[in-house]
């Protein structure tokens, strides 16, 4: 009787071990499947973000090109100088802006060329203040990467909406790097006249906000202060090498 009982207990124990082994293997397989699905989901999110950024850039680039040409057309006597700067802008748009990130040097060169193109609209006496304290010779700074065309919208917005008829008007552009944080501050005197709205206008700031949300989640600050007649815009980004 004892042998029979021992045999029954052994069979039950063995069955439990087999059952537990089967459950373990199924759980392991389920975890692997869950990990694979999570990895695939991250890949799909990355692809979606990349595609969304590309679509935003495609809307941005023709808009940027059109405004640059308008500036050059209004000052034909500086055509050679203008075309040289425009060439730099177009090279950047065509060959660099499709990259997820570019070097800080490349973005700063683009910003400088873009400012020079827009300077053509201005009187030589206009108060245009450019302060760039970024030391690109510093190895820690030169190795930083940034989203391409991230400077264009705030700078373009200032040139578009400044009141150039007032003698006290100005545009101030400040670029700085502190502790791997990129800072762009743009201020200007707002035109009192209401700008005429055009079809497809207003893409710039909206696109900027969309790109920042995708590329720098929880790593950026974008603020605007409308203290008429002055307007202040401030962009702060946490950069990686």
């Amino acid at each position: 009787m004892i042998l029979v009982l021992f045999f029954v207990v052994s069979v039950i124990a063995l069955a439990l071990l087999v059952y537990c082994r089967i459950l373990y293997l199924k759980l392991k397989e389920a975890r692997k499947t869950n990990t694979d699905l999570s990895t695939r989901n991250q890949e799909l999110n990355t692809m979606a973000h990349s595609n969304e950024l590309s679509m935003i850039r495609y809307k941005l680039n023709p808009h940027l090109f059109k405004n640059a040409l308008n500036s050059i057309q209004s000052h034909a006597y500086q055509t050679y100088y203008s075309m040289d700067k425009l060439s730099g802008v177009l090279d950047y748009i065509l060959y660099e802006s499709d990259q997820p990130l570019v070097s800080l040097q490349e973005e700063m060169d683009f910003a400088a060329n873009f400012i020079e193109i827009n300077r053509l609209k201005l009187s030589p006496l206009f108060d245009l203040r450019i302060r760039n304290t970024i030391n690109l010779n510093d190895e820690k700074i030169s190795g930083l990467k940034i989203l391409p065309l991230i400077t264009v919208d705030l700078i373009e917005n200032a040139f578009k909406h400044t009141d150039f008829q007032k003698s006290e008007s100005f545009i101030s552009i400040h670029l700085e790097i502190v502790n791997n944080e990129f800072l762009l501050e743009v201020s200007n005197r707002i035109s009192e006249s209401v700008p005429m709205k055009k079809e497809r206008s207003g893409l710039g700031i909206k696109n900027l906000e969309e790109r920042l949300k995708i590329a720098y989640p929880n790593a950026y600050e974008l603020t605007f202060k409308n203290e008429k007649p002055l307007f202040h815009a401030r962009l702060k980004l946490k950069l990686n090498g």
Side-chain angles (χ1 to χ4, degrees):
M1 182 64 180
I2 295 176
L3 290 175
V4 173
L5 182 60
F6 178 77
F7 177 75
V8 171
V9 171
S10 298
V11 170
I12 293 173
L14 180 61
L16 286 173
L17 286 173
V18 172
Y19 181 69
C20 289
R21 178 62 178 174
I22 292 173
L23 285 179
Y24 171 75
L25 292 175
K26 287 185 176 294
L27 179 60
K28 184 177 180 181
E29 183 179 358
R31 286 178 176 174
K32 183 179 184 303
T33 301
N34 185 58
T35 300
D36 292 343
L37 289 174
S38 177
T39 301
R40 180 56 178 165
N41 184 56
Q42 291 178 357
E43 291 174 352
L44 290 174
N45 283 337
T46 300
M47 291 174 62
H49 287 172
S50 177
N51 289 336
E52 189 171 349
L53 283 173
S54 295
M55 291 179 65
I56 293 171
R57 279 199 294 266
Y58 289 144
K59 289 191 293 185
L60 172 68
N61 293 349
H63 175 70
L64 172 63
F65 184 43
K66 178 177 179 294
N67 287 339
L69 286 178
N70 286 341
S71 297
I72 292 172
Q73 184 179 17
S74 64
H75 290 77
Y77 64 90
Q78 295 187 19
T79 298
Y80 179 79
Y81 178 81
S82 306
M83 294 306 294
D84 179 62
K85 298 303 177 184
L86 180 61
S87 176
V89 167
L90 291 181
D91 281 346
Y92 187 72
I93 292 173
L94 293 173
Y95 304 115
E96 304 299 335
S97 66
D98 280 340
Q99 302 297 319
L101 296 173
V102 296
S103 70
L104 199 58
Q105 175 76 65
E106 291 170 319
E107 181 67 15
M108 292 304 95
D109 288 345
F110 163 77
N113 286 333
F114 185 69
I115 291 171
E116 288 305 306
I117 288 174
N118 279 278
R119 192 194 291 268
L120 299 175
K121 303 176 182 178
L122 310 178
S123 162
L125 301 178
F126 182 80
D127 186 7
L128 177 60
R129 311 165 192 171
I130 310 297
R131 185 160 68 97
N132 186 347
T133 60
I134 299 175
N135 180 13
L136 292 170
N137 292 321
D138 186 331
E139 291 184 0
K140 293 181 180 179
I141 292 178
S142 63
L144 295 175
K145 299 289 185 179
I146 195 169
L147 194 67
L149 301 174
I150 204 67
T151 58
V152 64
D153 296 303
L154 298 187
I155 295 174
E156 182 184 38
N157 196 59
F159 281 100
K160 184 185 296 183
H161 297 293
T162 293
D163 186 351
F164 295 108
Q165 304 304 315
K166 299 288 185 179
S167 59
E168 62 270 31
S169 289
F170 72 95
I171 295 175
S172 172
I173 300 171
H174 174 214
L175 299 123
E176 185 179 18
I177 291 284
V178 178
N179 297 326
N180 284 15
E181 289 186 334
F182 171 77
L183 178 66
L184 170 60
E185 292 181 308
V186 182
S187 303
N188 63 290
R189 184 185 178 94
I190 307 169
S191 175
E192 296 177 0
S193 60
V194 179
M196 181 178 64
K197 292 186 176 181
K198 300 179 181 179
E199 186 180 0
R200 301 180 185 277
S201 66
L203 291 175
I205 299 302
K206 181 179 178 181
N207 278 348
L208 174 61
E209 291 175 331
E210 290 176 357
R211 297 178 73 211
L212 289 170
K213 288 177 183 178
I214 295 170
Y216 295 96
N218 304 317
Y220 79 93
E221 295 176 11
L222 179 62
T223 57
F224 302 98
K225 288 184 180 180
N226 192 346
E227 301 172 333
K228 291 185 178 179
L230 303 182
F231 186 82
H232 308 277
R234 185 175 186 270
L235 172 62
K236 189 176 182 181
L237 297 176
K238 183 67 177 179
L239 303 182
N240 296 315

